[in-house]
Amino acid sequence: MSTRIFIFLVCCMGMFGCKEWYPEPTYPNLIKEYDDPQQMKFYGWKGNAKNPAGPVALEDVMWVVGSDHEGLISQVTNSNRFDSLVVAHGDDHWNRWLQVGGYMFRVTTGLHIVCDRDYDAGHPAGTLLDDLISVYYKGLDDFLVHGEYLLHFVTEQQKRNKWSFYEFEEMLSEFNLKRHKLIGSSFVFRLKKAPAVTREYVFTCTWTNEDGKKLTASTDPLRIQGEE
Protein backbone atom coordinates (compact mmCIF):
# COMPACT_ATOMS: atom_id res chain seq x y z
CA MET A 1 0.00 0.00 0.00
CA SER A 2 2.78 2.44 0.90
CA THR A 3 4.42 1.78 -2.47
CA ARG A 4 1.21 2.70 -4.27
CA ILE A 5 0.86 5.92 -2.27
CA PHE A 6 4.46 6.84 -3.07
CA ILE A 7 3.91 6.28 -6.81
CA PHE A 8 0.73 8.36 -6.69
CA LEU A 9 2.54 11.25 -4.96
CA VAL A 10 5.38 11.13 -7.50
CA CYS A 11 2.88 11.29 -10.36
CA CYS A 12 1.09 14.24 -8.77
CA MET A 13 4.39 16.07 -8.30
CA GLY A 14 5.22 15.44 -11.94
CA MET A 15 1.87 16.83 -13.04
CA PHE A 16 2.27 19.98 -10.96
CA GLY A 17 5.81 20.34 -12.24
CA CYS A 18 4.58 20.18 -15.82
CA LYS A 19 1.99 22.84 -15.14
CA GLU A 20 4.61 25.09 -13.60
CA TRP A 21 7.06 24.76 -16.49
CA TYR A 22 4.53 24.32 -19.28
CA PRO A 23 1.41 26.38 -18.43
CA GLU A 24 -1.67 25.80 -20.53
CA PRO A 25 -1.54 28.38 -23.33
CA THR A 26 -4.38 30.90 -23.57
CA TYR A 27 -5.08 33.46 -26.27
CA PRO A 28 -7.20 36.60 -25.99
CA ASN A 29 -8.41 36.25 -29.62
CA LEU A 30 -9.90 33.27 -31.42
CA ILE A 31 -8.87 34.74 -34.79
CA LYS A 32 -5.14 35.36 -34.93
CA GLU A 33 -5.03 36.55 -38.55
CA TYR A 34 -7.57 38.19 -40.83
CA ASP A 35 -7.20 37.93 -44.59
CA ASP A 36 -7.92 40.55 -47.22
CA PRO A 37 -7.11 38.49 -50.35
CA GLN A 38 -5.32 40.25 -53.17
CA GLN A 39 -5.42 37.23 -55.48
CA MET A 40 -6.94 33.77 -55.55
CA LYS A 41 -4.73 30.93 -56.71
CA PHE A 42 -5.02 27.26 -57.58
CA TYR A 43 -2.98 25.24 -55.09
CA GLY A 44 -3.32 21.81 -56.67
CA TRP A 45 -5.25 18.62 -57.10
CA LYS A 46 -5.78 16.40 -54.09
CA GLY A 47 -5.21 12.70 -53.60
CA ASN A 48 -4.88 10.44 -56.61
CA ALA A 49 -5.42 13.33 -58.99
CA LYS A 50 -1.89 14.63 -58.40
CA ASN A 51 -0.16 12.20 -60.78
CA PRO A 52 -2.87 10.26 -62.57
CA ALA A 53 -1.84 7.32 -64.68
CA GLY A 54 -5.06 7.65 -66.63
CA PRO A 55 -8.48 9.27 -66.35
CA VAL A 56 -9.26 10.21 -62.75
CA ALA A 57 -12.38 8.72 -61.19
CA LEU A 58 -15.10 11.02 -59.88
CA GLU A 59 -14.39 10.29 -56.21
CA ASP A 60 -10.78 11.44 -56.58
CA VAL A 61 -11.45 14.80 -58.20
CA MET A 62 -10.72 17.40 -55.52
CA TRP A 63 -8.83 20.66 -55.76
CA VAL A 64 -7.83 23.60 -53.59
CA VAL A 65 -8.28 27.29 -54.39
CA GLY A 66 -7.40 29.98 -51.89
CA SER A 67 -5.99 33.36 -51.06
CA ASP A 68 -2.41 34.27 -51.90
CA HIS A 69 -2.12 35.37 -48.24
CA GLU A 70 -0.54 38.67 -49.30
CA GLY A 71 -3.26 40.51 -47.41
CA LEU A 72 -2.87 38.86 -44.00
CA ILE A 73 -3.58 41.20 -41.11
CA SER A 74 -2.15 40.36 -37.70
CA GLN A 75 -0.50 41.98 -34.71
CA VAL A 76 2.78 41.60 -36.58
CA THR A 77 1.82 42.82 -40.05
CA ASN A 78 -0.65 45.60 -39.18
CA SER A 79 -1.41 45.91 -35.48
CA ASN A 80 -3.73 48.94 -35.76
CA ARG A 81 -5.99 47.36 -38.36
CA PHE A 82 -5.90 44.02 -36.56
CA ASP A 83 -7.00 45.69 -33.30
CA SER A 84 -9.86 47.45 -35.08
CA LEU A 85 -11.07 44.13 -36.52
CA VAL A 86 -10.86 42.55 -33.08
CA VAL A 87 -13.06 45.32 -31.70
CA ALA A 88 -15.48 45.10 -34.65
CA HIS A 89 -16.06 41.41 -34.04
CA GLY A 90 -15.82 41.46 -30.23
CA ASP A 91 -13.08 38.85 -30.37
CA ASP A 92 -11.20 40.09 -27.31
CA HIS A 93 -12.14 37.69 -24.50
CA TRP A 94 -11.48 34.23 -25.94
CA ASN A 95 -8.77 33.03 -23.50
CA ARG A 96 -8.57 29.49 -24.84
CA TRP A 97 -5.77 27.29 -26.15
CA LEU A 98 -7.01 27.18 -29.77
CA GLN A 99 -6.61 29.88 -32.43
CA VAL A 100 -7.53 30.02 -36.10
CA GLY A 101 -6.07 32.16 -38.85
CA GLY A 102 -6.62 33.40 -42.38
CA TYR A 103 -10.26 34.40 -41.93
CA MET A 104 -11.90 36.85 -44.31
CA PHE A 105 -14.05 39.56 -42.72
CA ARG A 106 -16.22 40.94 -45.51
CA VAL A 107 -19.38 39.21 -46.77
CA THR A 108 -18.72 36.73 -49.57
CA THR A 109 -21.36 37.45 -52.21
CA GLY A 110 -20.40 34.67 -54.59
CA LEU A 111 -18.23 31.59 -55.01
CA HIS A 112 -18.79 30.02 -58.41
CA ILE A 113 -17.20 27.41 -60.69
CA VAL A 114 -17.35 27.12 -64.48
CA CYS A 115 -15.65 24.73 -66.90
CA ASP A 116 -13.85 25.39 -70.17
CA ARG A 117 -15.69 22.55 -71.95
CA ASP A 118 -19.23 21.23 -72.16
CA TYR A 119 -19.59 19.22 -68.95
CA ASP A 120 -22.85 17.46 -69.72
CA ALA A 121 -26.08 18.19 -71.54
CA GLY A 122 -27.28 20.55 -68.83
CA HIS A 123 -23.99 22.37 -68.33
CA PRO A 124 -22.42 23.79 -71.51
CA ALA A 125 -18.98 25.37 -71.31
CA GLY A 126 -18.97 28.54 -69.22
CA THR A 127 -22.17 27.82 -67.29
CA LEU A 128 -22.21 27.49 -63.51
CA LEU A 129 -21.46 24.09 -62.02
CA ASP A 130 -22.55 25.08 -58.50
CA ASP A 131 -25.14 22.29 -58.36
CA LEU A 132 -22.50 19.64 -59.18
CA ILE A 133 -19.67 20.69 -56.83
CA SER A 134 -19.36 20.76 -53.05
CA VAL A 135 -17.08 23.09 -51.11
CA TYR A 136 -15.26 22.39 -47.86
CA TYR A 137 -14.56 25.54 -45.85
CA LYS A 138 -13.96 26.88 -42.35
CA GLY A 139 -16.50 29.29 -40.91
CA LEU A 140 -17.25 31.15 -37.68
CA ASP A 141 -20.48 32.93 -38.62
CA ASP A 142 -22.53 30.78 -36.24
CA PHE A 143 -19.91 30.75 -33.50
CA LEU A 144 -18.63 34.32 -33.09
CA VAL A 145 -21.80 36.41 -33.16
CA HIS A 146 -21.92 40.06 -32.03
CA GLY A 147 -18.93 39.56 -29.75
CA GLU A 148 -20.20 36.37 -28.13
CA TYR A 149 -18.93 32.82 -28.58
CA LEU A 150 -21.98 30.64 -29.12
CA LEU A 151 -21.47 26.95 -28.40
CA HIS A 152 -23.29 24.46 -30.61
CA PHE A 153 -23.55 20.71 -30.71
CA VAL A 154 -21.21 19.07 -33.19
CA THR A 155 -23.11 18.24 -36.37
CA GLU A 156 -23.48 14.73 -37.72
CA GLN A 157 -21.22 15.71 -40.61
CA GLN A 158 -18.52 16.89 -38.20
CA LYS A 159 -18.83 13.72 -36.12
CA ARG A 160 -18.60 11.51 -39.18
CA ASN A 161 -15.50 13.26 -40.50
CA LYS A 162 -13.95 13.99 -37.08
CA TRP A 163 -13.98 17.71 -37.87
CA SER A 164 -13.82 20.67 -35.53
CA PHE A 165 -16.76 23.00 -34.89
CA TYR A 166 -15.63 25.41 -37.61
CA GLU A 167 -15.37 22.87 -40.49
CA PHE A 168 -18.18 22.45 -43.01
CA GLU A 169 -18.96 21.05 -46.45
CA GLU A 170 -21.98 21.78 -48.60
CA MET A 171 -22.99 22.15 -52.21
CA LEU A 172 -21.87 25.42 -53.78
CA SER A 173 -25.48 26.28 -54.54
CA GLU A 174 -26.26 26.09 -50.79
CA PHE A 175 -23.08 27.92 -49.81
CA ASN A 176 -23.96 30.92 -51.96
CA LEU A 177 -27.38 31.32 -50.34
CA LYS A 178 -25.82 31.95 -46.93
CA ARG A 179 -23.62 34.97 -47.71
CA HIS A 180 -20.86 33.97 -45.32
CA LYS A 181 -18.69 36.58 -43.64
CA LEU A 182 -16.15 35.12 -41.20
CA ILE A 183 -14.84 32.27 -43.34
CA GLY A 184 -11.42 30.89 -44.10
CA SER A 185 -9.80 32.06 -47.31
CA SER A 186 -9.08 28.58 -48.72
CA PHE A 187 -11.61 26.22 -50.26
CA VAL A 188 -11.57 22.53 -51.20
CA PHE A 189 -13.85 21.66 -54.13
CA ARG A 190 -15.15 18.17 -54.87
CA LEU A 191 -17.01 16.98 -57.96
CA LYS A 192 -20.27 15.17 -57.18
CA LYS A 193 -21.16 14.14 -60.72
CA ALA A 194 -18.94 12.84 -63.50
CA PRO A 195 -18.80 14.64 -66.85
CA ALA A 196 -20.48 13.13 -69.87
CA VAL A 197 -17.22 12.54 -71.76
CA THR A 198 -13.72 11.44 -70.69
CA ARG A 199 -11.26 14.22 -71.50
CA GLU A 200 -9.28 17.07 -69.94
CA TYR A 201 -11.14 19.78 -68.08
CA VAL A 202 -10.12 23.15 -66.64
CA PHE A 203 -12.25 24.68 -63.87
CA THR A 204 -12.29 28.37 -63.05
CA CYS A 205 -13.33 29.66 -59.62
CA THR A 206 -14.63 33.21 -59.17
CA TRP A 207 -14.94 34.76 -55.70
CA THR A 208 -16.64 38.09 -55.00
CA ASN A 209 -17.32 40.08 -51.84
CA GLU A 210 -19.59 42.91 -50.74
CA ASP A 211 -16.95 45.53 -51.61
CA GLY A 212 -17.10 44.52 -55.27
CA LYS A 213 -13.78 42.71 -55.18
CA LYS A 214 -13.63 39.93 -57.79
CA LEU A 215 -10.83 37.36 -57.87
CA THR A 216 -10.47 34.30 -60.11
CA ALA A 217 -8.25 31.23 -60.29
CA SER A 218 -8.15 28.37 -62.80
CA THR A 219 -7.02 24.79 -62.28
CA ASP A 220 -4.43 22.92 -64.29
CA PRO A 221 -6.03 20.59 -66.86
CA LEU A 222 -7.13 17.22 -65.51
CA ARG A 223 -8.33 14.19 -67.47
CA ILE A 224 -11.54 12.98 -65.78
CA GLN A 225 -13.40 9.75 -66.34
CA GLY A 226 -16.74 10.42 -68.02
CA GLU A 227 -20.04 8.58 -67.72
CA GLU A 228 -19.91 7.10 -71.21
Side-chain angles (χ1 to χ4, degrees), residues 167-225:
E167 295 178 271
F168 303 92
E169 184 176 19
E170 57 200 19
M171 297 301 293
L172 262 180
S173 51
E174 295 177 42
F175 175 94
N176 283 301
L177 292 175
K178 297 182 178 180
R179 294 176 65 87
H180 296 278
K181 183 182 181 186
L182 286 175
I183 58 172
S185 53
S186 292
F187 306 98
V188 180
F189 298 105
R190 186 198 304 264
L191 274 179
K192 294 297 184 178
K193 180 181 182 296
V197 178
T198 300
R199 59 185 175 189
E200 285 191 343
Y201 294 88
V202 173
F203 301 95
T204 297
C205 171
T206 300
W207 170 84
T208 56
N209 75 2
E210 62 181 327
D211 295 331
K213 182 178 285 189
K214 180 178 180 180
L215 303 176
T216 63
S218 296
T219 68
D220 294 337
L222 183 70
R223 188 171 177 79
I224 301 173
Q225 180 64 53

Side-chain angles (χ1 to χ4, degrees), residues 111-113 128-134 171-174 176:
L111 185 66
H112 302 292
I113 302 270
L128 296 183
L129 299 179
D130 296 0
D131 59 328
L132 304 182
I133 296 174
S134 69
M171 297 301 293
L172 262 180
S173 51
E174 295 177 42
N176 283 301

